[in-house]
Amino acid sequence: MNFEGELMNLKDTELRLGLPGRDEEQEKRSCSVVKSNKRCRHESSEEEGSSVTEKNNAGDGSDDQDNVPPPAKAQVVGWPPIRSYRKNCVQQQNNKGCQERSDGAEYVKVSMDGAPYLRKIHLRVYNCYPQLLEALQNMFKCTFGEYSEREGYNGSEYAPTYQDKDGDWMLVGDVPWNMFISSCKRLRIMKGSDAKGLGGCL
Amino acid sequence: MRVNQVEVPRDENGSSILDLARADIAESSTKTRNCAACPGSGSGSMEFQSPYPDQVLENVLENVLHFLTARRDRNAASLVCKSWYRAEALTRSELFIGNCYAVSPRRATSRFTRVRSVAIKGKPRFADFDLMPINWGALFSPWVAAMAKAYPWLEKVYLKRMTVTDEDLVLLSESFPCFKELVLVCCDGFGTSGLAAVAGRCRQLRVLDLVESEVDDDDVEWLSYFPESQTHLESLVFDCLQFAVNFDALEKLVARSPSLKKLRLNGSVTTPQLYRLITQAPQLTHLGTGSFGALEAVAAGDQEPDYASAFAACKSLVCLSGFREIFPDYLPAIYPVCTSLTSLNFSYANINAEHLKSVICLCHKLQTLWVLDSICDEGLQAVAATCKDLRELRVFPENPNEDVEGPVSEVGLQAISEGCNKLQSILYFCQRMTNAAVVAMSKNCPDLVVFRLCIIGRYRPDAVTGEPMDEGFGAIVMNCKKLTRLAVSGLLTDRAFSYIGKYGKLVRTLSVAFAGDTDMGLKYVLEGCHNLQKLEIRDSPFGNEALHSGLHHYYNMRFVWMSSCKLTRHACQEVARALPHLVVEVIRSQGERNDDSVEILYMYRSLDGPRSDAPQFVTIMQ
């Protein structure tokens, strides 16, 4: 049990939906329309290749699909021993109230530079950027700092980025939420210094 | 030609690594002695007879050995003498590699030259639960590269927990003109591009099964790549795909696959689409229904297809699965096939007891049942009442959290034990359990081969008596004389392990989590379970002394996994030094640390020493 603490640093997930009655100001700021021009970025090789094994680490089971307050106790990685694939499928069902057909490509993979584990999240569970960002920050135990149109995520170690349908890497928050939802293929939490490149060529 | 018995250590299992290594050495050493005639010296373990091969007898031997199919028998035969070793190697057509790092592709393909079918297993099972960092290994690439050269007549590939790339699949499709069957279980690393290559180039393809694998959506419509003419497809399984497939292509494919018997659709296939497919293919024996949900667009009064008739027309259906988004009102559609079903997988269908009862009361022939615990104890009681022939039961939790009231309990287990006396295999997730129910099962189900009980709340005692669960599991190993696989949970003391060591003589696979008190627990197991091959332990207080106590046995095992236990690197190193043919991997999932602790120990025997593809976070002890 000594090592549990170590293992939980990164894998501890408190994936929650945002509470109602959030700070409205913050919401407005983050969800506002910005320019949709793409920031330039050069691809790092570690994203390439289909040989990367990706695992869903939300296997802790604390994804509260029923909008109840999050559990007080943090869940243990890999327990109970159910393949995350199976957990996702059943959760997916519970999230759909009206039994509609699966849309496919619901999940996006989320990676963080330096973390050995990849996660998968269901983007449509969130309603706006603040909710998504909070969930990511909780999931990976990092902070993103203040978002601004011009400077991206200022003053933080990490910044959230995503790859869109065209394969370009963008800073999360650059486009309106709905556009983001429909074009986001995968997420990557980059070191702040790397993400600066994204803000560079406006 | 007289045949000398080679002295080998007795092993109930078949060959240990030392036997295989010796056989290899013997093969190479006797080649140099081929010219000298030295009949019947008989002393020492490396003496072989008959330097002038008797070709006629060898041919006879080969013909006879063709009939030997079980690999244990083949392993034994290969140890009789050099001639038998050679003949066996030439006649082995099915190659099974239980641990992809136990032997190199080069060695395997050099010894067995006429292989038609290959099965390879990679990562340990705990990797399924995110306990192993990504990119650990188990790559198919070196294997397919070696086989491309060595086995031009290869027909079948079965992989489990391997990383397969699109390039691997392309190479496969280009290298084996007779290729017939590809089965990928719990694999990853490839996408629709690789599938398209297989579909397009393997003209003899009969089986393409993707089971619980992670497949990337490369936006390639792989189903469209099958040849335009009639296919030889007998099995097409893709229910694990998390993205939509081209239904039009699928429908046309089914229409031109007259031999198709097994079809498992993924959740993107709607119920009306399912209808169209099964009316085209009433010869199906195994069907995965896909979504089985109701589209929003179906309003009251709209004409819906006659699903029940479509199912009724499938007179050969014996295995049903899918139900990924089940709309319970559609359940009556499957009633016509229930009476012939031998296998039913409802494990993605969150149906309640009532729904289940309506179906299960018709399933008299059922032998395999997978369900979600949403059916509650009541549902399990209904199963027990009808399914007298049940051999395998798996009950998965709908809500895998630790602090919830579970819908199934000892009541359900007891009922099953009373109703299903032929049970051989059970996997049961629950939130509460009692020793009494487990003991009852041990007595009522003497044929149990696999007993896996997962009490989700860690360290939970008997829900009624408050005692540890030692006696329950003790009864299982004591009474179930055929038991080979065991997974334990709940509050367990060293006593439970003493039972396992004392009575679990046939146990080959043991899975332990959050259990035991001291090193004695693991010692009991390592000293008592003579047939143990696969051991996976997590978060249990077993340390160096316990690890040391297994030295006599590790060469007989496929692997040992210990994570979050009380091991030190130093102790692991000692094991590595004591057993040079054991590869001892110490895995750290994050960063550098200077202390002696071990997050994950994963060790396995290998004929070819430490692997060369280990990532940075793996340290191979030497």
Side-chain angles (χ1 to χ4, degrees), chain A residues 110-169:
Chain A
V110 191
S111 62
M112 175 159 105
D113 291 356
Y117 291 87
L118 278 153
R119 309 286 184 96
K120 271 192 211 152
I121 60 171
H122 194 304
L123 275 183
R124 289 181 196 278
V125 156
Y126 309 99
N127 297 319
C128 64
Y129 281 120
Q131 286 181 10
L132 171 64
L133 295 177
E134 187 186 319
L136 290 176
Q137 288 174 98
N138 281 334
M139 202 190 277
F140 289 95
K141 291 284 178 277
C142 60
T143 49
F144 295 147
E146 285 287 296
Y147 172 82
S148 79
E149 205 180 306
R150 234 170 358 125
E151 300 192 27
Y153 287 86
N154 217 353
S156 60
E157 222 196 308
Y158 290 98
T161 66
Y162 72 101
Q163 187 177 34
D164 68 10
K165 280 189 169 139
D166 301 334
D168 298 319
W169 285 92

Side-chain angles (χ1 to χ4, degrees), chain B residues 65-78 88 92 94 96:
Chain B
L65 285 180
H66 269 300
F67 293 100
L68 223 57
T69 46
R71 55 178 189 265
R72 268 190 208 150
D73 294 340
R74 287 198 150 266
N75 290 348
S78 72
E88 193 284 313
R92 190 181 294 223
E94 287 176 16
F96 174 81

Side-chain angles (χ1 to χ4, degrees), chain A residues 3 6-7 50 53-57 61 76-79 83 85-86 93-94 99 101-102 109 116-117, chain B residues 129-130 134-135 188-189 212 214 216 240 270 294 324-325 347-348 350 401 456 538 565 589-590 599:
Chain A
F3 305 109
E6 301 301 331
L7 282 174
S50 46
T53 1
E54 287 151 341
K55 294 278 190 285
N56 175 10
N57 210 24
V76 176
V77 174
W79 187 262
R83 299 195 69 239
Y85 165 79
R86 180 173 284 283
Q93 277 182 54
N94 290 338
Q99 301 288 334
R101 175 177 99 61
S102 163
K109 294 167 185 165
Y117 291 87
Chain B
F129 315 126
D130 303 327
I134 57 173
N135 294 335
D188 56 23
E212 294 195 25
E214 270 197 52
D216 289 330
C240 59
T270 66
R324 297 296 172 121
E325 290 153 15
S347 66
Y348 293 100
N350 52 351
N401 293 314
I456 298 176
R538 64 166 294 184
C565 296
S589 68
Q590 37 162 335
E599 260 184 68

Side-chain angles (χ1 to χ4, degrees), chain B residues 127-178:
Chain B
D128 288 354
F129 315 126
D130 303 327
L131 291 177
M132 179 82 101
I134 57 173
N135 294 335
W136 171 81
L139 305 174
F140 183 46
S141 300
W143 288 95
V144 67
M147 296 192 303
K149 300 191 182 111
Y151 302 146
W153 310 117
L154 192 68
E155 294 179 3
K156 302 186 195 179
V157 167
Y158 169 96
L159 303 177
K160 186 165 187 181
R161 292 196 189 94
M162 300 279 293
T163 293
V164 181
T165 64
D166 289 322
E167 289 74 22
D168 294 337
L169 292 176
V170 169
L171 182 60
L172 184 147
S173 69
E174 289 171 345
S175 309
F176 310 118
C178 303

